[in-house]
Amino acid sequence: MADLSHTRVLTVATDGFEQSELFEPRKALLDAGVQVTLASLKTDPIQGMQHDKKGDTITPDTTIDAVDTGGFDALVLPGGVMNPDTLRMQDRAGEIVREFARDGKTIAAICHGPWLLVEADVVKGKTVTSWPSVRTDLRNAGADVVDREVAVDGNLITSRNPDDIPAFNQAVLAALQELAVEAAE
């Protein structure tokens, strides 16, 4: 196992994020020694959801406007319906996704999170998955949509729903391990 203590992951979320899709990948990354930064529209606590009920809140580390993507190795986008729908209306959120894609960095999105990938126009020709209601948008954006717990296409990792979090986490950590091994060589 490569040392991930120098690996930096950016998570972008706002009110309405699906609680398990932010907290469980975050915990897996932190447990692996990864440095995780949460960016949002503001630095006030943001509201998580457990499906249609309010869940826990979390306080972002920074705002999306203050993010310099050059300092990060990967991007994680949790779902929840409101979260990505709000973020895709923010120019800077789309720019962040495009910058990670342009630089060939890992981008991982789960459930409704791929809406941001559509908005940023980074899925054309890519094999992806998502929550069923997002799949038509992905197809219309030129993606090859599959129905499986995790789809990995180059630097892009996507999953369908909270049940897929273990496979999602494993794919993200494997990508970061590969990056760390390449950096050590």
Side-chain angles (χ1 to χ4, degrees), residues 11 16 27 54 92-93 99 120 142-143 145-147 152 160 171 180-181 184-185:
T11 299
K27 181 180 182 329
K54 285 187 177 181
R92 183 62 187 136
E99 289 169 16
V145 180
V146 297
D147 183 10
V152 179
R160 302 171 299 191
V181 167
E185 292 177 349

Side-chain angles (χ1 to χ4, degrees), residues 4-9 28-36 173 176:
L4 296 180
S5 64
H6 298 291
T7 304
R8 296 195 60 218
V9 172
L29 290 166
L30 291 170
D31 287 351
V34 174
Q35 300 170 49
V36 181
L173 288 168
L176 296 177

